Amino acid sequence: MKIHCFQKTWNLLFLFITLAKCVAKEDVKLNIKQGTLSGLRKETFLNSKIYYSFTGIPYAKPPLGALRLQPPQSHEGWEGILKAHEERPTCFQVSFRRRNNEPPGFSGTEDCLFLNVYTPDIESSAPVVVFDYNDNFKTGFNGSQTYSPDFFIEEGVIVVNINHRLGIFGYLTTEDDVIPPNAGLRDFILGLAWIQDNIKAFGGDPKRVTIMGSRGGAVIANILLHSEKAKYLFSSVILQSGTAMESIYFDNNPREKAFEIGKLLNITTDDSKILFEKLQLVDANTLLSLEGNVFDKRVMNDLQLSIDTFSPTIDKNTKDAVIATLPEKANIVNDVPVLVGFNSREGLDLASPYLMEPKMVNDIKNALFIFPIRVDFHFDRNSSIFHNALSEVLHYYLKDGYLHYTNILDYAVYVSDLFQNYALHTAAQKLCRDLKSEVYYYLFDYRGGLNENSEYISRFLRFSMEHWGATITDELCYLHFCTRIKKTYNQFKKLPSEQPEFKVLKKMVRMWTNFAKYGNPTPDGNDDILKATKWLPMDKKGDSNYLHITKTLKMKKNPLGERSEFWDEFLNKYRRLTNDATVVNEEIRHVEL
């Protein structure tokens, strides 16, 4: 009798395991304009909610051969059933650093114009979030293998990832119709158009599409606010730790860089067509390996700007421009609600080498200085006024006016403001002025076990980073299920009481998905997770209202505090001292005038 009961129990257990596997692998079919798709049923991590995954869907023809470096062309479709069961590799890229276990070296493929759709219900009409994380258009790791959509799925939101070309393959241009600018941006726009055409089949609402971008993804979202080509393709945007106002974007001479690449390949011509034809024949690895060889140090030294080559540029001479004017001068085309913000210590990532090995500070010969936003003037680095200005900046940020091992944290704040935070703050203020729609501003300042990048950095330190705030990308694992740290989530999940990390996670996911649903992160004053929290939009009169995100949620004013005023005054002061775009001593300026 006991043996019989044991056998019966074992059979039931085996049946349960088999059914569970079937749930994960069962095909789900649907029809879109290109043909029939087969997807998979899966379960979310936290609450085992069923959802449907369709991955590796081609939205454009492979950008190979004659289509290399060209605007994307829509995929014509397929016969039979396309198995959308596996994510495709990223677009071809090279990484020279390790962050969050991203693979260094070459990865991805040129044949990469695919997208993924994750939907909670194919019979619904759910809001859609198009998530994109890329690191300054050089690397990008989207998809469920990196940032899984589980948390948004559980809130009834569809998540889409669009693979788009990066670096030299996405942004090399001859600034004419031979190799038009911004192929990578055009990929993304074509992906958005695909969503408009097809998302209803996945249970999505094409009228509620939110672009949610981190770093370079935020730059894309920011640019598309000003682009006629993206009109009616989205209903709101989220800008996380990135903006098109940063001075590293919009190279003034992208055509020159294209022909420099040609020279490195022994292609001696100044003819766009000849260059294009020759570049089609170059091995992809060879072409990608040259990406960093045309960085113009003179721009940083002479103009005090840090221009990133092979990233978005202004379409000056093409008939079909994505963006024809710099964002700071451009009009709003797509007036939609915006959620924008950054992390409290973004620069910890850049300062981490000095934190890991403080002796490296002694190797710094010249203090870093670039303008935090694009300006129409520059310093003569050999002039006394430049050295006075540099001293003014360094004394403001660093104790004793120079970097040493006791003020590396202050240096992290300095580089944060130089490379991102002041530009983002300026962008938020401009959007608030220019948009009729609301702008919701935040500062993520929580430090917990899901701060993946901080946790990675802390492994190499001899001291705790517990109270240092959040560095770049630290917010992402509170919004997405970061599969690389699944073990950490599981540890928190098994504990008897809900951990602070999960409380912060649930609050952020609820606010972000509310924004996707309603254009307002806190529409209900009596939410079961957010309680009575009310995230107020920025004040059109100029007050920079923002939500301070820690264990608690609290409205404050101006996340940069006095630092924004410092840069406002600094830039205005030296702009007034310019003569022929160069800052000069006031006495000299008066004589010349």
Side-chain angles (χ1 to χ4, degrees):
M1 185 69 177
K2 288 182 179 179
I3 294 174
H4 177 72
C5 289
F6 176 80
Q7 184 65 44
K8 188 174 182 180
T9 302
W10 173 252
N11 289 342
L12 287 171
L13 180 61
F14 179 78
L15 179 62
F16 176 78
I17 293 171
T18 303
L19 287 172
K21 288 182 178 179
C22 288
V23 166
K25 294 183 178 180
E26 183 180 340
D27 282 7
V28 181
K29 296 181 178 63
L30 54 79
N31 296 313
I32 62 173
K33 289 191 174 182
Q34 294 159 292
T36 302
L37 285 174
S38 162
L40 297 175
R41 289 181 62 177
K42 294 188 175 182
E43 290 184 356
T44 60
F45 168 74
L46 278 182
N47 298 311
S48 300
K49 177 180 172 61
I50 297 295
Y51 71 98
Y52 306 93
S53 168
F54 299 85
T55 54
I57 306 170
Y59 69 90
K61 294 178 181 178
L64 306 172
L67 295 183
R68 175 186 275 183
L69 307 176
Q70 291 296 292
Q73 296 183 13
S74 295
H75 197 280
E76 295 172 348
W78 51 85
E79 295 181 359
I81 299 173
L82 177 69
K83 283 193 173 184
H85 295 181
E86 294 184 5
E87 294 180 10
R88 297 301 185 103
T90 61
C91 286
F92 206 28
Q93 56 190 274
V94 61
S95 176
F96 296 104
R97 57 174 298 154
R98 290 187 72 93
R99 178 193 288 154
N100 302 341
N101 296 318
E102 294 169 0
F106 288 19
S107 61
T109 176
E110 269 196 275
D111 182 7
C112 64
L113 300 185
F114 299 87
L115 52 75
N116 308 321
V117 181
Y118 310 95
T119 176
D121 184 358
I122 57 176
E123 301 297 332
S124 183
S125 184
V128 181
V129 166
V130 183
F131 174 67
D132 184 81
Y133 159 68
N134 73 75
D135 197 355
N136 298 341
F137 299 90
K138 294 295 179 282
T139 60
F141 298 93
N142 297 307
S144 64
Q145 295 177 16
T146 310
Y147 299 112
S148 192
D150 298 45
F151 306 145
F152 279 32
I153 290 289
E154 292 186 348
E155 291 287 326
V157 173
I158 291 174
V159 176
V160 179
N161 306 130
I162 301 171
N163 263 9
H164 53 92
R165 284 170 284 180
L166 301 161
I168 198 167
F169 294 99
Y171 295 96
L172 183 144
T173 177
T174 50
E175 290 194 278
D176 51 30
D177 291 326
V178 178
I179 307 179
N182 300 319
L185 283 178
R186 294 170 191 272
D187 294 342
F188 196 86
I189 291 170
L190 184 61
L192 291 176
W194 184 97
I195 291 169
Q196 289 298 310
D197 289 340
N198 295 291
I199 204 64
K200 281 186 178 180
F202 298 87
D205 182 355
K207 294 181 180 178
R208 290 189 293 168
V209 175
T210 299
I211 304 174
M212 175 182 174
S214 174
R215 297 297 298 126
V219 176
I220 292 175
N222 193 173
I223 288 172
L224 296 188
L225 290 171
H226 305 285
S227 179
E228 288 282 350
K229 286 187 68 64
K231 206 164 186 178
Y232 309 121
L233 296 183
F234 58 95
S235 59
S236 56
V237 300
I238 299 174
L239 313 178
Q240 294 175 208
S241 301
T243 167
M245 296 283 280
E246 294 170 42
S247 67
I248 64 174
Y249 301 116
F250 301 107
D251 189 349
N252 282 329
N253 299 299
R255 178 179 172 85
E256 180 182 310
K257 304 296 190 303
F259 284 93
E260 283 183 34
I261 289 291
K263 289 177 183 177
L264 292 171
L265 294 165
N266 296 317
I267 304 170
T268 53
T269 182
D270 58 3
D271 185 286
S272 297
K273 289 183 179 179
I274 294 174
L275 178 67
F276 173 54
E277 290 168 359
K278 297 287 187 182
L279 289 178
Q280 289 176 337
L281 305 176
V282 177
D283 173 72
N285 283 30
T286 302
L287 195 55
L288 185 59
S289 68
L290 299 176
E291 191 173 77
N293 290 16
V294 294
F295 178 74
D296 191 349
K297 292 182 179 178
R298 294 172 302 172
V299 174
M300 181 175 282
N301 291 331
D302 297 346
L303 302 181
Q304 294 88 54
L305 298 174
S306 179
I307 297 296
D308 223 343
T309 52
F310 306 121
S311 61
T313 57
I314 298 302
D315 292 6
K316 297 176 183 175
N317 306 310
T318 53
K319 302 170 186 175
D320 191 28
V322 174
I323 181 167
T325 309
L326 287 170
E328 57 266 32
K329 299 177 181 178
N331 295 324
I332 293 291
V333 173
N334 301 298
D335 195 322
V336 299
V338 173
L339 191 154
V340 56
F342 58 94
N343 299 347
S344 55
R345 293 265 186 166
E346 299 268 9
L348 278 175
D349 183 79
L350 287 173
S352 60
Y354 306 119
L355 293 168
M356 296 173 190
E357 187 49 69
K359 291 181 181 179
M360 288 179 61
V361 170
N362 299 326
D363 297 331
I364 297 177
K365 304 299 181 186
N366 298 306
L368 172 68
F369 176 80
I370 61 168
F371 287 108
I373 58 174
R374 283 179 295 275
V375 293
D376 54 3
F377 61 92
H378 61 273
F379 291 101
D380 176 353
R381 291 185 70 91
N382 296 316
S383 67
S384 60
I385 197 168
F386 170 71
H387 293 289
N388 291 339
L390 178 60
S391 177
E392 183 180 347
V393 171
L394 294 179
H395 276 89
Y396 180 79
Y397 279 93
L398 305 176
K399 185 179 179 181
D400 302 323
Y402 67 96
L403 175 63
H404 48 81
Y405 71 92
T406 65
N407 64 9
I408 295 174
L409 283 181
D410 296 327
Y411 179 75
V413 175
Y414 172 53
V415 294
S416 297
D417 290 351
L418 278 190
F419 284 100
Q420 176 186 294
N421 291 355
Y422 180 73
L424 194 145
H425 184 68
T426 303
Q429 291 179 314
K430 184 178 188 303
L431 289 171
C432 181
R433 291 193 304 270
D434 293 352
L435 288 167
K436 295 177 182 177
S437 303
E438 303 287 17
V439 177
Y440 296 91
Y441 198 6
Y442 76 88
L443 177 71
F444 179 73
D445 191 26
Y446 180 67
R447 175 71 175 91
L450 299 180
N451 293 50
E452 185 183 17
N453 200 17
S454 287
E455 288 289 298
Y456 178 76
I457 293 170
S458 67
R459 295 179 205 168
F460 305 97
L461 304 183
R462 303 184 187 94
F463 39 82
S464 171
M465 292 174 61
E466 184 178 355
H467 303 295
W468 290 7
T471 191
I472 195 165
T473 71
D474 266 354
E475 86 286 5
L476 291 180
C477 297
Y478 294 87
L479 295 166
H480 314 274
F481 174 41
C482 296
T483 51
R484 299 176 301 278
I485 58 169
K486 183 177 181 179
K487 184 177 179 181
T488 305
Y489 288 103
N490 272 322
Q491 288 171 346
F492 289 138
K493 189 178 178 182
K494 291 175 182 177
L495 293 172
S497 61
E498 187 173 54
Q499 296 303 294
E501 284 85 351
F502 272 19
K503 291 180 181 179
V504 172
L505 182 155
K506 289 180 179 179
K507 290 176 184 177
M508 290 186 68
V509 170
R510 177 61 57 85
M511 290 188 293
W512 262 242
T513 54
N514 275 346
F515 183 75
K517 293 174 182 178
Y518 313 113
N520 182 339
T522 55
D524 188 350
N526 191 25
D527 187 277
D528 62 328
I529 291 175
L530 301 173
K531 308 303 180 187
T533 298
K534 191 66 178 176
W535 187 342
L536 300 175
M538 293 181 73
D539 191 330
K540 300 290 183 182
K541 296 178 181 178
D543 288 337
S544 298
N545 299 325
Y546 77 96
L547 185 70
H548 195 153
I549 302 174
T550 57
K551 287 183 182 179
T552 58
L553 304 174
K554 187 175 181 180
M555 290 301 304
K556 295 186 178 183
K557 292 187 182 294
N558 191 353
L560 287 186
E562 293 180 353
R563 287 159 27 222
S564 65
E565 296 173 10
F566 169 81
W567 281 109
D568 289 345
E569 293 172 4
F570 179 91
L571 295 175
N572 287 332
K573 177 171 72 173
Y574 289 106
R575 184 179 287 110
R576 290 194 298 268
L577 295 177
T578 58
N579 182 42
D580 194 23
T582 303
V583 180
V584 297
N585 290 321
E586 193 160 11
E587 298 83 3
I588 297 174
R589 183 173 179 274
H590 282 309
V591 170
E592 291 182 347
L593 289 175

